[in-house]
Amino acid sequence: GAGVSQSPSNKVTEKGKDVELRCDPISGHTALYWYRQSLGQGLEFLIYFQGNSAPDKSGLPSDRFSAERTGGSVSTLTIQRTQQEDSAVYLCASSLGLGVTQYFGPGTRLTVL
Amino acid sequence: AQTVTQSQPEMSVQEAETVTLSCTYDTSESDYYLFWYKQPPSRQMILVIRQEAYKQQNATENRFSVNFQKAAKSFSLKISDSQLGDAAMYFCAYRSSTSGTYKYIFGTGTRLKVLA
């Protein structure tokens, strides 16, 4: 596609359930980033991929959060045993190689009841 | 660690007028990048303007321009001839130029309202 796509657009889940969020980067972009945007706050970095490897996982808030990227393209962010504080918009971005400018997807709004 | 501060949670401007959004940052680095992104209700983050720290000239994109004051660590965004479509959240972001650190560090955003 022309831009970064994310699915689902919205996800409502119950506390304790696992969720998977998907990101499709711009074709050819080797770098991929996940951010979290909580209500009233800026964007918080979670993890960065270069190809299929994740050189920087420093932003993952707990071991309930994990992410993978396969084939150097699609990435999945998994949150296990969701908590109410996980409710946020999860944004994905990609860039060409180590390019400076990141291009963002529309995000997934996660609501944990 | 680098930080980015946006001290104006909300701003209003009359259509066709000019508004300036403030951003300050803290870093010990001499080379880095600064950005302004716009986030409308659709949630899609849109790049407005980008500034390289090694460039003294302020970046400009049509009605959008920045006032980059490196010594003061200030990076404000000026929107001229404001339009209704400019209403959105605006985020200031910092990116190091150090190899291996590619994440953006964002401020908390400024909500811009444009009054008809």
Side-chain angles (χ1 to χ4, degrees), chain B residues 30-43:
Chain B
S30 59
D31 196 17
Y32 46 86
Y33 303 89
L34 296 165
F35 307 83
W36 279 99
Y37 277 84
K38 169 185 177 181
Q39 186 182 42
S42 66
R43 299 199 304 247

Side-chain angles (χ1 to χ4, degrees), chain A residues 51-108:
Chain A
N52 291 336
S53 65
D56 189 351
K57 306 179 184 179
S58 63
L60 295 178
S62 75
D63 58 8
R64 296 187 295 105
F65 287 72
S66 63
E68 65 175 12
R69 189 178 185 196
T70 55
S73 182
V74 172
S75 176
T76 302
L77 177 68
T78 301
I79 309 173
Q80 295 179 311
R81 304 181 302 282
T82 52
Q83 303 295 312
Q84 289 184 332
E85 59 263 29
D86 299 334
S87 295
V89 174
Y90 290 82
L91 289 160
C92 174
S94 70
S95 67
L96 186 62
L98 300 177
V100 174
T101 299
Q102 296 179 19
Y103 299 88
F104 285 81
T108 295

Side-chain angles (χ1 to χ4, degrees), chain A residues 9-10 33 35 37 41-43 45 48 58 89 91 98-102 104-109, chain B residues 33 35 37 39 42-47 50 89 91 95 100-109:
Chain A
S9 179
N10 293 283
Y33 311 79
Y35 294 88
Q37 183 177 17
Q41 298 190 20
L43 282 75
F45 169 79
Y48 151 69
S58 63
V89 174
L91 289 160
L98 300 177
V100 174
T101 299
Q102 296 179 19
F104 285 81
T108 295
R109 180 179 297 281
Chain B
Y33 303 89
F35 307 83
Y37 277 84
Q39 186 182 42
S42 66
R43 299 199 304 247
Q44 184 81 51
M45 295 279 283
I46 302 164
L47 177 65
R50 156 183 158 172
M89 282 290 289
F91 290 96
R95 181 198 185 272
T101 55
Y102 306 113
K103 65 185 178 185
Y104 283 6
I105 299 169
F106 286 89
T108 51

Side-chain angles (χ1 to χ4, degrees), chain B residues 29-78:
Chain B
E29 299 178 329
S30 59
D31 196 17
Y32 46 86
Y33 303 89
L34 296 165
F35 307 83
W36 279 99
Y37 277 84
K38 169 185 177 181
Q39 186 182 42
S42 66
R43 299 199 304 247
Q44 184 81 51
M45 295 279 283
I46 302 164
L47 177 65
V48 175
I49 203 162
R50 156 183 158 172
Q51 175 81 43
E52 289 83 354
Y54 63 85
K55 291 186 178 178
Q56 292 187 340
Q57 186 173 6
N58 290 323
T60 299
E61 287 288 341
N62 300 312
R63 298 182 296 106
F64 299 87
S65 62
V66 298
N67 183 5
F68 173 49
Q69 301 289 326
K70 191 172 183 180
K73 296 179 183 175
S74 172
F75 182 62
S76 60
L77 175 69
K78 185 172 84 171

